[in-house]
Every structure is written in C-alpha cells, then in structure tokens.
Amino acid sequence: MSTGTVATFEDSLERLEVGWTHASPGEVATVLREVCDDPAVGVELPYDGVELPSWVNTDPTPADLRDANAGITAAGIGIADYGSVVVQGTPDGVEPVSLFGDLHVAVLRESDIVSGMPEAFEWLGEEFRTGHDSAIIATGPSATADMGALVKGAHGPKDVHVVILDE
Amino acid sequence: MSKAREAKAAKIRQLMETEGDAVGTSTRGFNQGRYDSVQTLDDYEGLKAEAREIKEDAIERLPELLGRLRETIEENGGTMYIADDAADANRYIREVCEDEEAERVVKSKSMTSEEIEVNDELEAADVDVVETDLGEWVLQVADETPSHIVAPAIHKSREAIADLFNETFEPAEPLETAEELTMFAREQLGELIEGADVGMTGANFITADTGTMALVTSEGNARKTAVVPDTHVAVAGVEKVVPTVEDLQPFIELIGKSGTGQDITSYISLLTPPVESPTVDFDDPDTPITETETDRDFHLVLIDNGRLDMRDDEQLRETLYCIRCSACSNVCANFQHVGGHAFGGETYSGGIGTGWEAGVEGLDSAAEFNDLCTGCSRCTTACPVNIDIPWINTVVRDRVNRGDVSEVDWLVEGLTPDEEPGGVSLQKRFFGNFETAAKVGSLFAPVSNWAAQSSVSRDLMERFLGIDARRELPSFQRETLKDWFDARDSRVQDATRTAVLYPDVYTNHVQVERGKAAVRALEALGVDVVVPDVRSSGRAPLSQGMIATAEDHAHDVYAGLAEYIDEGRDIVVIEPSDLAMFDSEYEKFLPEKSFQRLSENSYEVMEYIFGLLENGAPADALQTVDGAEVAYHSHCQQRTLGLEGHTEAVLSDLGYDVATSDVECCGMAGSFGYKSEYYELSMDVGSELREQFQTDETRDRTVVASGTSCLEQLDSLLRRPSRHPVELVAPRR
C-alpha cells in the first residue's frame, strides 16, 4: 500500500459517486453519526480501539434488517483500481447487515487497500483456502438498468459510504 | 419470394418494428461501453489470452477438475450432482424442493436454468417460482422469453414495462418512471424473497480447489437469494469449473467490461456454500439473526446436456470457453437491429448462440438463426476468451447444409463445380459458386447484364434463388482486370519491390477500375506488379457454409501464389474479405507453414501503399490534394485485422481531410443483403451508415469504402457515388 494506492482508491470512489471519509479510531463514531440515519444496524468492527456507538443495533433481528436505514460493517480489503470493498460473510451477519439497509457503510483499514485485482485475488485465494467461505466484491451501490434507465438500489443498498481508518 | 423466405422476412420486419429500437439503443450503449471500459486495462490482450488459456486448460482437464470439485464440495458439507440432461436435472431439483416441502423458490438469473426449463417442472409440482432479477421478473410477469443473454428484457421499453405493471398489479398510483418501477419491483420481490424456502442461483464460475462459486450481478438479488433461505441450489453447466480461486481474476476483470461495458458489476459474490452467514428467517422476525439456528443445505447441480459431446467435438469445443458476457451480441450489427428473438434459438442468442444451440438443443434450433451471422468477424476481437465465433457459425452452417436434403438438388447438381453434397440450398449454391457466375458474366457482358436485369430474370432469380429483386445486380465487365493487365507492358524500370496484385473475383470481373487503379498506384511507387491467374479465395463458398469447397479454393490459391512468394514477391490484396481469408480462415485449411508464409507476405493494398510511403517512396508520385474532404467507411473484416488506420493515414498524407464511419458493419456482408429474406434487415443496418454520411459535416464529402459489399451497399444507400480509396490516390494513367 502506498499513498498512490489510496489516492487511486479515492479517485475510483469518486467515479462511482461513493462518499468516503478518513477517520482515526477515535473519530469513527462521529463519522458514522454524520453519515447514518436511524435506525442503523451493524456488526462489531475487528479494529483495535474502534467500537460501534450504542445507537447502532449490533444484534439485529430480521425485522430490524428490513427496517434499517443503514448497515455498518468492516471490509476485508479495498481494491484501488475499482473502488471496490470486499465484504466477508461471517457468522455474525456481515453479509445481511451490509445488504438490507438503504446505506452500507464499510469501514476499512487504510493498510488493507490493495492496488488491483491480481493483488485482491492473491488475498482472496489465501482467505478461501484457510477456511473463510464467502466474500463479496462490492463496487458502488446495487444498480439496475432493467427498467429503462439506471436506478440505484434495485435490491441492495442505494448508497455506499467508505470510512478509511487511518492508523 | 418463397413462402418460407417471406415468413422469415415478415418475422424480421415485425421484430425490427416492435423491438429493434429498444434493443438497438441498449446494445449500442453496451458496445460503446466495452470500447471505453477496456481502455482502462493496462494489458487487455494479455488478460484475454490468460482467460483463454485458463478455459482451454480447464476444459482439457474437465474430468479431473470435476472429480476434485466433487471432493471439495462434499468436504465443505454440500452435495454435487451431475445431471445428464434437462430432465435429469429437473427431477433432482424438484426432489430437493419436495424434501424441503418448499412452497416457494426464489431464483437469481441463470441462463442454464432457462436451458433446462426448471421453472415449468417446479410449477407443475405446485412450487411457486419467482425470478428476482428485475429483467427476468418483467419477463415472468409478461410471459415472454429473454431477448439477450445478460439483459433479458432489453426489448421492452420503460413505457411497455410501466403498462405491464399497471395492468397486472393495478397500483394505487400508476407507475411511470424507471425509479418508480424499480422501487415497486424491489418491494414486491423483497416480500417474495422473505417468504422463500429455497434459493436457486446460477454460477458464472466454480473453482475446483475450494468449491467457491462466483456470481456476477448488479442488483443484489443473487446475494439475497443465496443468503436468506437455508437451502441453496446452484445450477450451472459442467464447463463452468476452473482450477483455482486465483484463476477467477482475469474473468472478473473482463466479464463486466465485455458485456455491459461496466468496469465491474456492483457485486461479485464469491461463495463457498454452505456459507456461514446466518439465514434470515422472516417467519421468525423478532429473533436476532445470530441466534437463529442455521442449518444450511447446498446442492450444486452441474448440467451436461450435450456439453461433454461438445468437448469431444473438435469444432464445437471452443464454445465451452464462452463466459456468457454478451459482447458478441452487442457488437453484432444484425443483433443490434433484431435482438435475440430473431437472432436466437430455444435458449441462447447472439453470435455464440449458434454453437450453444447446436450443442445443447441440436442443429434444428441452431439452423433457425445461423444465417444471421454474416461472418463480419467484429465479435472475434470483442470476445474476452478469443473464440472464433464466425468459424463456429460456419461449421454449424455446413452441418445444417449437409443435414438438409429437402431442396431440389437435380437442378444444379453437376452445374456447380463445388465439393458439396446434395443438401446445400440453391441460394447458397449460387452465391457459393459466384466465381463461375462471374466468369460467364464477363464472357457474355454486356448481354449477360441486360439479361440478368430483365424483369423476367429477376422474377426467376427471386423465385428460385431468393435474390431480392430490389437489389441492383453487379455489372460484369467484358474486359477483366487480367485481360487489361496482360494487354499492357509494365511501366516500371529498376523496381524497388516486386508484388503480385491478387485478382479477387470482384476486382477481376466487376470493379475492374479499382484493380487498374491499384496497378497504377503501385507502379507509380516503383513496384513491379504481376497479375497472375489465381482462383478466387473461397470466401464466397465459405460464407454459405460450404467448407469443403472453400478448402479446395485455399489449396489452389496457395499453389497459385507460393512460387511468387518464393520469388520474393509481396501479395497485395484489394478485397479485405479475401485478405481476411489469407490471414485467418486459411489457418484451418493449410499446413501451418504454408498458412504462415501466405499470411505474412500478404497486405491490404492501402496498407501496402502506407508501407511504401513510410519507407521513402515519393508521395507526389500519387495524386495529392489540398484538403479535399472524404467520408471513409472501412470494412468489417479489415477493421478486425487492424487495418483501418492505414487507409486513413495514406489519405491524410496525400492531403485529404478524412471522416471515418464508426458503424460495426454496413449490413451488406457479401451475399447477405441480396437474399430476399434478409434484404430489409440489411438495409435497416445500412441506414446507420447512411445517417453518418448524411450529416451536415459529411453530406458533401466524397465517399470511399474498402470492401466490395460496402461499395454496393453505399450505392444503394446514398445518391452520390462511392469508390475504393485506391482510385483516389492512383495517378490517372
């Protein structure tokens, strides 16, 4: 990871019309408050010193998922060339939490941004061989052109926001 | 016109009117998106070569990979079933649903599931089946079939979808915008997914090492389909297996770009089922998802249904490398105008559709639309796995010809010097043996031209040969290029190079002037030219699917040119479709060494002139101008060979201001535009070129085009004449 990679990642997000914010561990809660509407659901983040604020429901029911305006999860890696975040399906529900809300907020360590797809697949190959079983390469919001023009939020989130965790 | 031809023409006419605009707008958008998107790659060709290599290897090792995959899936806790055919697959899937006592199955988009028609099987067993891809759902509500393998409802306009929804669902407020329609569908489908018992997906790729499947989607429905219910059935062809997770990388980078022109689709789901994600049980909406008991079931149903026979079929095997991206549909001029309802069979549509239909359904289904491939070759460079799609279409055409013995053979058997059996239609035989007709035509010109143009002849030609009476016929010249050349002396002393000008059948008999111009231009640049008596390239029979005849031509042409090549002569070719034979199709007919020798020493005439000028030949030996404006249409096969730019460069060098068309094909495509069942489609495709040459910027420009067919088509489309570019640049005498 280099500054160039992060800049490329940001350019790609810009192209996708995906918002992003840099935050130190201490700033994450403030950033989340700014971008999320209630009700929000989330999955605890695996980063030192980062905890989801209490207004985020981290133990959602199906009904909570259905009603969520925002879903907050970690992302395994970011892919700079494409502006993608890789969302890993885990028993604590990262996949559904990232999928049902109108907004998906992905929190990503800056050092986990890789430059391109070859690097991403090196990482993914290792992940799958060591027992992880699902990863979604998510690029921008859910979209469809099936109804005659491009519309965001066909089934999944209408918006995505990426929080880049500075270390 | 025969009844069958009239019926086909009527069907095409109707689809052009009802669906052509919607299909055209989307496919042209996808196609342009592909051109733009692949430019973001550092090494597009390298990535395609890598993807091709992975597929070649995977199909070669298929039995081993399937064995490995079975072990992996079972270790993961899933079940793998290889179904021999559609009935076998459907029975298995129905039984899974019965075991689950499923009342509703939600599906994400899968062409393989359409191939086996699993919805019918499940509905007959009282299982409610819901397509959750928005396009597929529109079609399910409308009870229609896909017209495109990636964007299935591409033929329906927003207005048509709004009418359909408003009539079917009678919402309180009538739906109108794309946003309203999408949100309505999201809500309806969201509820249906919540109550589903089984989720069914396809799989774009499956890795043998980890049992990971890749689902390429944009909407998020496949994610919900796979994660919400506790039973997941994935249906895919056996050819979808690749060795490792890392092998997915080139495909993931290529598939969205090649298809809809997106750099990447919104979601690439990489799932190794049964997945750890908790199920989302909406029957128990108030228990946290992490506390729901998750006991997932996974069934991978791999379908053979003819694929293993395709693997053993040397000619069709390549079809199995197809990743269903739809690039070959989107780039295809004919597809852009009629869509998959004409350019498709039982399930698959577009260029590669013929190979699939021949393999999984049989020749009858492939025969219905195989003729719509004109062999223009624009799909070959669009295909992310470098499949020679026109060749597959030619092979299928050949097999259809051989299988069809219904035509009256005795009329022409013996009169046509081809290598084909009885089944070839009279129409195809006529066009396939065009060289013979041209010889007779020149011999008796101009009487032959008057005779051919008489109303009685045109009526008979339409009746028996299916040659549309609305087309002007080529006018044969009494003095052929060869006759003219033999009657004159070479004008070159101290030649800088020596060359053969290949007298293709059109230049020799019909467009003789461009041949003469080529000789004058080459000689002016110091090239010693000969015009030998060599047979036609075989392009005409090949385009009719008469492969044996085309091969016969290839051997004769090589024999006729080999000594000249050994003598150090370059082979200069005017007609791009013939050069394309030397440069690509001959690889199938000639020994590798012979193919290489001919291919490496052959040049398109303007490419050759470009090379001479680059190497110091004096440009002022040719005709120069001061900013004269030309409108140039390159030839489809010429562009595939990457030779469009040479003509532009030469014309610019000589002082022309060049505007080049960007349509994929003029629509004529050799014999295609002459055939009465396709005449109107050919003109419809041509209308795009006409529009480009009738804008304020282009309408007064001199028109030049490289191909015989393009020149004929332009003559029908425009009031002003068109010529080959070499006629502009050659000295007058």
Side-chain angles (χ1 to χ4, degrees):
Chain A
M1 196 271 312
S2 68
T3 332
T5 309
V6 177
T8 307
F9 185 61
E10 291 168 354
D11 286 347
S12 299
L13 294 176
E14 181 88 40
R15 202 171 55 240
L16 294 163
E17 295 175 17
V18 166
W20 78 93
T21 318
H22 282 270
S24 65
E27 291 165 342
V28 170
T30 319
V31 172
L32 292 177
R33 188 63 279 177
E34 277 166 19
V35 297
C36 296
D37 288 334
D38 289 330
V41 295
V43 176
E44 285 299 349
L45 303 172
Y47 309 124
D48 286 344
V50 183
E51 265 185 42
L52 288 178
S54 58
W55 51 268
V56 179
N57 174 358
T58 52
D59 198 16
T61 64
D64 297 333
L65 288 177
R66 183 164 39 197
D67 297 338
N69 269 315
I72 303 159
T73 71
I77 54 170
I79 307 170
D81 285 349
Y82 289 89
S84 314
V85 292
V86 175
V87 179
Q88 294 173 282
T90 49
D92 52 11
V94 166
E95 163 70 334
V97 165
S98 70
L99 183 59
F100 278 85
D102 284 343
L103 169 73
H104 172 219
V105 182
V107 185
L108 173 72
R109 268 198 305 235
E110 192 183 82
S111 58
D112 289 332
I113 300 171
V114 301
S115 66
M117 216 41 98
E119 294 79 9
F121 269 90
E122 251 172 59
W123 183 85
L124 286 162
E126 201 50 37
E127 286 288 300
F128 282 106
R129 273 187 294 275
T130 51
H132 291 274
D133 68 18
S134 69
I136 315 293
I137 304 173
T139 312
S142 154
T144 188
D146 283 348
M147 300 296 172
L150 189 72
V151 178
K152 292 174 178 177
H155 284 276
K158 294 173 186 169
D159 275 306
V160 176
H161 190 94
V162 180
V163 179
I164 302 171
L165 197 59
D166 297 327
E167 292 140 298
Chain B
M1 210 186 300
S2 75
K3 280 209 170 109
R5 285 198 181 102
E6 176 49 46
K8 188 166 250 183
K11 182 183 173 187
I12 289 172
R13 188 181 309 129
Q14 194 242 336
L15 285 170
M16 285 194 299
E17 280 167 16
T18 54
E19 301 182 354
D21 285 348
V23 170
T25 305
S26 292
T27 46
R28 276 187 284 274
F30 294 159
N31 192 41
Q32 187 55 47
R34 173 176 59 84
Y35 285 120
D36 297 340
S37 181
V38 298
Q39 283 184 1
T40 64
L41 291 167
D42 294 336
D43 184 12
Y44 176 42
E45 293 303 323
L47 208 57
K48 289 200 286 184
E50 201 186 325
R52 165 84 184 195
E53 205 177 308
I54 291 167
K55 276 289 180 185
E56 275 182 10
D57 170 61
I59 296 301
E60 180 64 32
R61 289 163 52 203
L62 190 57
E64 172 206 329
L65 292 178
L66 288 173
R68 175 89 183 87
L69 179 64
R70 182 187 293 281
E71 286 168 20
T72 316
I73 296 278
E74 286 171 3
E75 276 167 29
N76 292 344
T79 313
M80 174 167 133
Y81 183 73
I82 297 184
D84 293 337
D85 53 24
D88 190 16
N90 287 335
R91 178 195 51 77
Y92 182 89
I93 296 166
R94 177 175 45 77
E95 285 174 7
V96 169
C97 293
E98 284 168 352
D99 287 349
E100 292 294 323
E101 294 174 8
E103 288 172 13
R104 184 184 307 138
V105 173
V106 285
K107 282 180 69 195
S108 69
K109 184 174 149 35
S110 148
M111 287 306 294
T112 314
S113 77
E114 308 239 359
E115 174 189 324
I116 62 175
E117 296 177 337
V118 67
N119 293 17
D120 294 347
E121 172 89 10
L122 294 178
E123 278 158 7
D126 282 332
V127 180
D128 184 23
V129 185
V130 179
E131 296 285 354
T132 63
D133 172 86
L134 263 49
E136 287 286 350
W137 189 57
V138 167
L139 297 186
Q140 194 178 25
V141 173
D143 194 21
E144 291 179 21
T145 57
S147 56
H148 186 272
I149 58 172
V150 168
I154 200 177
H155 59 284
K156 295 190 87 71
S157 64
R158 177 183 57 79
E159 292 80 1
I161 298 170
D163 289 346
L164 172 73
F165 281 10
N166 289 331
E167 276 166 33
T168 310
F169 301 104
E170 298 179 348
E173 285 288 312
L175 304 164
E176 194 185 324
T177 65
E179 173 88 23
E180 288 166 1
L181 293 165
T182 303
M183 289 310 138
F184 176 79
R186 175 184 165 123
E187 202 172 302
Q188 297 275 317
L189 290 169
E191 282 173 25
L192 292 165
I193 294 170
E194 287 180 7
D197 305 296
V198 172
M200 193 188 302
T201 68
N204 294 79
F205 308 93
I206 309 163
T207 67
D209 62 343
T210 58
T212 304
M213 50 192 266
L215 292 170
V216 179
T217 65
S218 271
E219 296 180 358
N221 61 313
R223 296 176 64 187
K224 284 185 173 164
T225 301
V227 82
V228 173
D230 63 3
T231 303
H232 178 186
V233 178
V235 181
V238 288
E239 82 284 3
K240 299 287 179 70
V241 186
V242 295
T244 69
V245 175
E246 282 83 350
D247 290 326
L248 296 171
Q249 178 248 326
F251 298 105
I252 299 310
E253 297 214 54
L254 287 167
I255 194 166
K257 295 183 179 75
S258 304
T260 50
Q262 294 164 274
D263 290 344
I264 189 168
T265 61
S266 301
Y267 303 120
I268 307 291
S269 297
L270 302 170
L271 307 174
T272 315
V275 293
E276 292 176 330
S277 280
T279 54
V280 189
D281 185 0
F282 285 93
D283 291 339
D284 183 9
D286 299 319
T287 302
I289 52 172
T290 49
E291 288 168 29
T292 346
E293 205 169 304
T294 293
D295 184 16
R296 288 184 181 274
D297 243 352
F298 172 63
H299 300 266
L300 176 61
V301 185
L302 294 180
I303 318 277
D304 171 359
N305 208 28
R307 287 166 174 78
L308 296 181
D309 288 339
M310 289 165 80
R311 181 174 172 270
D312 292 334
D313 184 325
E314 210 181 310
Q315 307 293 353
L316 287 187
R317 180 183 248 214
E318 232 190 339
T319 309
L320 297 174
Y321 307 156
C322 168
I323 60 169
R324 315 295 203 289
C325 71
S326 80
C328 58
S329 297
N330 304 332
V331 74
C332 174
N334 279 347
F335 190 95
Q336 290 174 358
H337 285 253
V338 296
H341 287 158
F343 204 142
E346 295 280 328
T347 310
Y348 299 101
S349 56
I352 195 66
T354 308
W356 281 114
E357 289 292 319
V360 304
E361 294 288 345
L363 280 181
D364 285 351
S365 180
E368 281 176 32
F369 63 104
N370 171 261
D371 278 352
L372 287 168
C373 170
T374 64
C376 86
S377 79
R378 296 300 301 140
C379 52
T380 54
T381 46
C383 177
V385 281
N386 292 328
I387 299 176
D388 191 348
I389 296 165
W391 177 254
I392 291 173
N393 276 288
T394 305
V395 167
V396 169
R397 193 166 303 162
D398 186 82
R399 291 181 187 179
V400 170
N401 288 343
R402 285 164 194 274
D404 179 9
V405 288
S406 61
E407 297 256 354
V408 197
D409 303 317
W410 50 269
L411 262 176
V412 280
E413 196 74 60
L415 291 176
T416 48
D418 59 43
E419 304 294 317
E420 307 299 316
V424 185
S425 76
L426 278 181
Q427 187 191 52
K428 288 191 165 130
R429 281 219 161 169
F430 173 78
F431 286 113
N433 289 289
F434 185 73
E435 184 176 31
T436 309
K439 280 182 186 160
V440 175
S442 279
L443 197 59
F444 294 107
V447 179
S448 53
N449 295 325
W450 302 335
Q453 294 291 5
S454 80
S455 61
V456 178
S457 300
R458 294 309 304 261
D459 180 57
L460 290 174
M461 279 191 221
E462 176 137 355
R463 226 171 260 283
F464 288 98
L465 299 175
I467 297 175
D468 201 284
R470 289 165 286 188
R471 272 284 175 204
E472 199 172 317
L473 295 176
S475 192
F476 297 110
Q477 303 300 306
R478 183 74 182 238
E479 185 187 50
T480 64
L481 175 66
K482 174 88 179 117
D483 296 339
W484 171 81
F485 186 84
D486 288 347
R488 67 194 278 286
D489 296 322
S490 169
R491 313 280 166 88
V492 179
Q493 284 159 359
D494 303 326
T496 50
R497 286 188 86 95
T498 58
V500 167
L501 181 70
Y502 175 68
D504 68 83
V505 64
Y506 255 84
T507 304
N508 198 32
H509 293 277
V510 183
Q511 297 187 352
V512 179
E513 286 311 314
R514 71 180 189 184
K516 294 179 186 173
V519 172
R520 288 199 304 270
L522 296 178
E523 288 185 349
L525 297 172
V527 179
D528 176 73
V529 181
V530 295
V531 180
D533 201 5
V534 186
R535 203 176 175 191
S536 66
S537 74
R539 167 63 68 191
L542 191 77
S543 69
Q544 309 305 317
M546 296 159 65
I547 294 178
T549 306
E551 177 167 353
D552 196 55
H553 282 246
H555 295 303
D556 286 352
V557 168
Y558 184 70
L561 294 175
E563 281 190 43
Y564 291 106
I565 296 174
D566 289 344
E567 209 178 279
R569 285 184 185 268
D570 305 311
I571 310 296
V572 178
V573 184
I574 299 175
E575 174 52 37
S577 63
D578 285 331
L579 181 68
M581 286 292 280
F582 298 177
D583 258 353
S584 48
E585 280 91 349
Y586 274 18
E587 191 172 10
K588 316 271 187 196
F589 302 140
L590 299 179
E592 179 62 23
K593 219 170 159 183
S594 311
F595 165 70
Q596 289 294 350
R597 197 147 59 131
L598 180 56
S599 167
E600 279 165 15
N601 289 289
S602 299
Y603 304 88
E604 193 263 341
V605 62
M606 298 300 281
E607 175 197 17
Y608 194 68
I609 290 174
F610 173 84
L612 292 168
L613 295 176
E614 285 290 291
N615 284 297
D620 57 9
L622 300 174
Q623 281 203 67
T624 56
V625 293
D626 188 13
E629 295 188 325
V630 293
Y632 171 53
H633 174 65
S634 179
H635 179 275
C636 43
Q637 285 157 340
Q638 182 184 8
R639 287 171 59 216
T640 298
L641 295 172
L643 299 175
E644 174 185 39
H646 299 85
T647 302
E648 290 172 325
V650 170
L651 290 173
S652 298
D653 269 8
L654 297 181
Y656 285 96
D657 178 85
V658 188
T660 306
S661 73
D662 67 1
V663 298
E664 295 292 352
C665 178
C666 72
M668 186 69 177
S671 63
F672 184 79
Y674 283 103
K675 294 179 176 175
S676 49
E677 61 273 43
Y678 304 123
Y679 168 78
E680 288 167 48
L681 172 56
S682 163
M683 292 301 282
D684 201 46
V685 171
S687 66
E688 280 178 68
L689 181 55
R690 176 172 51 214
E691 278 165 28
Q692 291 199 359
F693 283 179
Q694 292 285 44
T695 64
D696 290 345
E697 217 273 304
T698 56
R699 100 163 40 95
D700 296 323
R701 286 170 177 259
T702 302
V703 178
V704 286
S706 308
T708 300
S709 297
C710 320
L711 289 163
E712 286 173 344
Q713 180 76 320
L714 283 163
D715 278 344
S716 321
L717 295 170
L718 300 173
R719 294 211 175 141
R720 58 197 201 275
S722 50
R723 284 183 287 170
H724 191 283
V726 78
E727 292 178 64
L728 290 193
V729 308
R732 294 251 153 71
R733 45 191 63 261

